[in-house]
């Protein structure tokens, strides 16, 4: 037995030593950025086997869709000692390179990048955005290896912005402690404007590409306010430094969180409008909140990552939905909206979920799990079959927050749950299960949430907005209640002067009487159609139960379809904060809002 154990220890030691001797380095350069290519050179030394498999991730953490990044790889080649060596593609995202008895190999390949998004590489003559999972490969089985990255900017470019740690004395050279860190560190190369500020004891750098009418001095102050409010919830900021990479386009949006950085899409000329500026701060708040929620406090299925396959979890309603909810709380606490605007925004969120037919079909947990096959692959029927884990999760977060505040008379809130779960994960060094999250909510609130989970997490129960807002002395009115608004139940778009049906709502008049997506609507009761159907006077003048005749063209053939109008099922909710609410409700309101 002792000999067997000793032998096992020796084998493990040899294996660990062999891995520790392997070193990986990258050189990133640009020969034809105008054609949207980045040149990659990967050096692997210290090899003990006669071959190594190198892999390209198939997805980017935070964006739950297999994107097959290997499809953009070209001109793969390998050398050892300056001479070509044999290689073969062994999987869709893996190449096997034979070392020819050399302990070091050099791999070269090119990556095409021309998709404008926060999660995919984009290269042109003005800059390069390098989304790391889309350009870096890794040696199979060696994700824990450190690596270095040397960036050689294209001529005329003079700046590199990234969350990676710089190597002292080596310009544009960085190090990653392992491949999880490398894959979580996007890189911006070009002539971006860079400014920085301090917030919560952390230096924050902002790299602005694309210009814009932003006021950087104002942004320094206001972004810091958001950051400090987020840090206050968790009691600590986990970073030494943080990088915002902001892409300003004519029309831009979206963001993707990373370990100590984020990539934001913005509209370059919207910073000087109240709506545009608040929208940007909301985006900052959302992505920054992810520093804790997802990047460190994460569902157990999301770590360690499997970069070859989907990583399924039922908890994206917490990871993303709660983050959407908290962006509202952060801008409120930072002073960018008042309580009325805060409440109005959340009431709109409740209305949107309540008016989504698919919310009666798919639960928050199911939406999370099916993100890989549904969330990023919407079609014309998606609104009828599902609900976004962002929007449903936002509403679940709202209801849960109010329930906790009510149960504790305003002394506790969802803030306390989030902080406790973050600290628990830090101690356990792993992600949480759904049962553990529920247990923490019950511990903080002092009450059972079994019925809540059955209704709102695993079920499709209608949102009881009167009950929950009532806890905080806020009355909600449905302005459509009691009215008989005639309703067909379609969405339409104008294409080359034609009105085309783009969606049909479940159980609507259009659904029952057979209107189809892609039908071209020519007339309603003989009146020509030039805009959205639901707003046509010929329909607005009718009442539910009336019949109208739509002339449509389907696959080039005209036909008349009789539609029996129904009453609109959609709610239009408005809120009023009661100034004379009982003290018990005021306490709940104050504890919930945190102001």
């Amino acid at each position: 037995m002792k000999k067997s154990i000793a032998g096992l220890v020796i084998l493990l030691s040899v294996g660990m030593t062999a891995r520790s001797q392997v070193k990986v380095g990258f050189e990133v350069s640009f020969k034809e950025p105008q054609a949207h290519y980045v040149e990659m050179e990967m050096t692997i030394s210290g090899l003990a086997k006669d071959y190594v498999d190198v892999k390209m991730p198939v997805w980017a953490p935070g964006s739950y869709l297999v994107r097959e990044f290997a499809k953009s790889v070209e001109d793969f080649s390998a050398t050892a000692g300056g001479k070509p060596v044999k290689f073969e593609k062994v999987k869709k995202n893996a190449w096997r390179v034979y070392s020819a008895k050399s302990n070091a190999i050099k791999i070269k390949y090119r990556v095409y990048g021309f998709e404008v998004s926060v999660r995919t590489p984009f290269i042109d003559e003005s800059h390069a955005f390098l989304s790391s999972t889309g350009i870096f490969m890794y040696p199979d089985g060696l994700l824990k290896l450190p690596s270095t990255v040397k960036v050689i900017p294209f001529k005329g470019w003079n700046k590199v912005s990234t969350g990676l740690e710089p190597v002292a004395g080596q310009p544009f050279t960085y190090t990653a402690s392992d491949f999880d860190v490398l894959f979580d560190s996007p890189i911006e190369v070009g002539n971006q404007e860079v400014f920085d500020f301090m917030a919560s004891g952390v230096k924050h750098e902002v790299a602005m590409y694309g210009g814009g009418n932003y006021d950087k001095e104002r942004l320094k102050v206001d972004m810091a306010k958001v950051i400090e409010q987020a840090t206050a919830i968790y009691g600590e900021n986990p970073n030494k430094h943080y990088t915002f990479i902001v892409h300003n386009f004519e029309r831009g949006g979206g963001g993707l969180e990373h370990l100590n950085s984020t990539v934001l899409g913005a509209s370059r000329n919207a910073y000087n409008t109240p709506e545009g500026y608040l929208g940007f701060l909301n985006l900052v708040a959302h992505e920054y909140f992810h520093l804790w929620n997802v990047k460190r406090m994460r569902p157990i299925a999301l770590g360690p990552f499997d970069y070859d396959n989907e990583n399924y979890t039922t908890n994206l309603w917490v990871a993303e939905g709660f983050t959407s909810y908290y962006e509202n709380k952060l801008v409120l606490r930072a002073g960018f909206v008042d309580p009325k605007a805060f409440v109005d925004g959340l009431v709109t969120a409740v209305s949107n979920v309540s008016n989504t037919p698919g919310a009666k079909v798919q639960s928050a947990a199911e939406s999370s799990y099916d993100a890989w096959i549904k969330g990023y692959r919407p079609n014309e029927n998606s609104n009828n079959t599902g609900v976004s884990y962002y929007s449903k999760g936002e509403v679940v977060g709202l209801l849960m927050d109010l329930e906790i505040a009510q149960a504790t008379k305003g002394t506790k809130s969802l803030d306390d749950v989030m902080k406790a779960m973050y600290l628990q994960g830090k101690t356990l060094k792993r992600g949480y299960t759904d049962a553990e999250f529920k247990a923490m909510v019950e511990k903080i609130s002092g009450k059972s949430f079994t019925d809540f989970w059955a209704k709102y997490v695993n079920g499709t129960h209608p949102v009881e907005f009167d009950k929950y807002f009532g806890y905080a002395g806020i009355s909600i009115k449905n302005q459509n209640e009691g009215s008989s608004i005639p309703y067909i139940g379609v969405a339409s778009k104008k294409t080359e002067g034609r009105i085309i049906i783009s969606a049909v709502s479940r159980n609507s008049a259009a659904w029952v009487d057979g209107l189809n997506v892609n039908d071209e609507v020519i007339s309603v009761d003989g009146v020509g159609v030039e805009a959205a159907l639901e707003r046509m006077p010929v329909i607005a003048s009718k009442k539910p139960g009336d019949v109208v005749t739509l002339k449509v063209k389907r696959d080039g053939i005209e036909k008349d379809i009789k539609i029996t109008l129904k009453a609109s099922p959609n709610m239009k909710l408005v809120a009023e904060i009661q100034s004379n609410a009982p003290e018990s409700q005021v306490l709940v309101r104050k504890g919930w809002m945190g102001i």
Side-chain angles (χ1 to χ4, degrees), residues 449-519:
F449 267 72
T450 297
D451 183 59
F452 184 98
W453 240 255
K455 285 181 176 180
Y456 297 115
V457 175
N458 299 318
T460 58
H461 196 277
V463 179
E464 300 169 280
F465 48 84
D466 283 330
K467 168 186 171 182
Y468 287 95
F469 279 109
Y471 290 158
I474 300 168
S475 62
I476 306 295
K477 180 181 179 182
N478 177 14
Q479 290 186 327
N480 287 350
E481 188 174 5
S483 63
S484 295
I485 302 172
Y487 176 73
I488 293 180
V490 298
S492 58
K493 59 184 178 182
K494 195 168 187 176
T495 304
E496 297 178 349
R498 301 177 300 154
I499 303 301
I500 307 297
I501 293 176
S502 55
V504 176
S505 293
R506 185 184 292 272
N507 297 329
S508 66
W511 174 285
V512 171
D513 291 328
L515 282 177
N516 286 357
V517 168
N518 295 329
D519 283 349

Side-chain angles (χ1 to χ4, degrees), residues 68-132:
E68 309 292 19
F69 292 122
K71 71 180 183 292
S72 298
V73 172
E74 297 179 23
D75 294 343
F76 188 98
S77 65
T79 58
K83 296 180 180 180
V85 293
K86 177 185 174 183
F87 68 88
E88 58 184 327
K89 196 167 187 180
V90 292
K91 290 183 179 179
K92 65 179 182 178
N93 66 321
W95 291 257
R96 177 164 295 171
V97 180
Y98 295 88
S99 62
K101 298 183 179 180
S102 173
N103 74 340
I105 59 173
K106 183 172 291 185
I107 298 166
K108 292 184 178 183
Y109 58 95
R110 313 176 79 200
V111 177
Y112 179 80
F114 195 56
E115 179 183 347
V116 176
S117 83
V118 295
R119 54 192 169 257
T120 50
F122 182 93
I123 305 102
D124 68 9
E125 77 287 347
S126 65
H127 81 128
F129 169 61
L130 307 178
S131 180
S132 297

Side-chain angles (χ1 to χ4, degrees), residues 168-239:
Q170 299 184 42
F172 303 140
T173 303
Y174 307 88
T175 182
S177 56
D178 57 43
F179 276 90
D180 285 324
V181 170
L182 179 59
F183 291 148
D184 216 5
S185 302
I187 303 170
E188 176 72 19
V189 190
N191 295 313
Q192 60 271 19
E193 180 179 22
V194 177
F195 60 89
D196 58 62
F197 60 91
M198 295 295 294
S200 298
V202 175
K203 181 180 178 181
H204 293 75
E205 180 181 286
V206 182
M208 287 283 197
Y209 164 78
N213 58 8
Y214 56 85
D215 179 339
K216 65 182 180 182
E217 297 304 322
R218 182 185 182 193
L219 283 176
K220 289 178 185 180
V221 173
D222 291 346
M223 292 172 73
K225 290 179 181 178
V226 171
I227 289 162
E228 286 160 1
Q229 289 298 330
T231 304
I233 292 172
Y234 292 96
E236 64 182 33
N237 195 301
N239 289 318

Side-chain angles (χ1 to χ4, degrees), residues 294-582:
V294 154
K295 299 317 301 180
R296 289 162 178 85
M297 181 198 111
R298 63 174 54 163
I300 197 165
L302 297 184
F305 290 120
D306 177 354
Y307 294 104
D308 287 348
N309 302 286
E310 297 91 338
N311 292 223
Y312 288 99
T313 174
T314 57
N315 290 111
L316 294 183
W317 58 274
V318 176
E320 290 292 354
F322 279 23
T323 304
S324 292
Y325 171 60
Y326 265 95
E327 69 182 72
N328 299 288
K329 295 188 82 171
L330 295 183
V331 296
L332 169 70
R333 293 173 181 178
F336 300 117
V337 298
D338 61 21
K340 181 64 167 65
F342 169 71
V343 170
D344 287 346
L346 292 172
V347 168
T348 297
V350 171
S351 295
N352 291 340
V353 168
S354 299
N355 292 338
T356 299
K360 300 177 180 65
V361 176
Q362 187 183 52
S363 71
E366 290 170 333
S367 177
S368 300
Y369 198 84
D370 285 345
W372 296 93
I373 62 172
K374 290 185 177 181
Y376 288 85
R377 292 187 173 103
N379 61 26
E380 68 283 348
N381 200 40
S382 293
N383 210 44
N384 294 319
T385 61
V387 64
S388 165
Y389 52 81
Y390 281 88
S391 54
K392 184 62 180 288
E394 180 179 10
V395 171
V396 173
L398 163 67
L399 304 185
M400 189 179 292
D401 204 0
L402 285 165
E403 188 69 71
I404 294 169
Q406 169 71 8
T408 62
K409 297 181 172 57
T411 61
K412 299 289 184 182
S413 72
L414 189 57
D415 294 10
D416 299 282
V417 175
M418 301 302 283
K419 180 179 181 179
M421 289 302 297
Y422 163 67
L423 294 175
Q424 177 177 287
K426 190 176 176 181
T427 300
L428 297 177
K429 300 187 186 316
R430 64 166 175 81
Y432 61 84
T433 65
D434 186 72
E436 287 172 334
F437 196 92
K438 177 175 177 286
M440 186 62 76
V441 174
E442 292 176 334
K443 179 181 178 180
I444 297 295
S445 66
K447 66 171 294 183
S448 171
F449 267 72
T450 297
D451 183 59
F452 184 98
W453 240 255
K455 285 181 176 180
Y456 297 115
V457 175
N458 299 318
T460 58
H461 196 277
V463 179
E464 300 169 280
F465 48 84
D466 283 330
K467 168 186 171 182
Y468 287 95
F469 279 109
Y471 290 158
I474 300 168
S475 62
I476 306 295
K477 180 181 179 182
N478 177 14
Q479 290 186 327
N480 287 350
E481 188 174 5
S483 63
S484 295
I485 302 172
Y487 176 73
I488 293 180
V490 298
S492 58
K493 59 184 178 182
K494 195 168 187 176
T495 304
E496 297 178 349
R498 301 177 300 154
I499 303 301
I500 307 297
I501 293 176
S502 55
V504 176
S505 293
R506 185 184 292 272
N507 297 329
S508 66
W511 174 285
V512 171
D513 291 328
L515 282 177
N516 286 357
V517 168
N518 295 329
D519 283 349
E520 177 189 351
V521 185
I522 299 170
S523 65
V524 179
D525 283 351
V527 179
V529 178
E530 296 182 355
L533 290 178
E534 305 287 6
R535 294 196 294 268
M536 289 184 64
V538 67
I539 293 175
S541 65
K542 304 288 184 180
K543 62 183 184 297
D546 288 348
V547 178
V548 294
T549 300
L550 273 72
K551 183 179 291 294
V552 304
K553 183 180 288 187
R554 181 180 299 169
D555 191 28
I557 300 173
E558 288 190 4
K559 59 190 308 180
D560 290 340
I561 299 178
K562 294 188 179 299
I563 303 292
T564 302
L565 298 174
K566 290 188 172 187
S568 173
N570 293 332
M571 294 185 290
K572 185 178 180 181
L573 303 181
V574 293
E576 182 180 352
I577 301 175
Q578 301 294 328
S579 58
N580 60 346

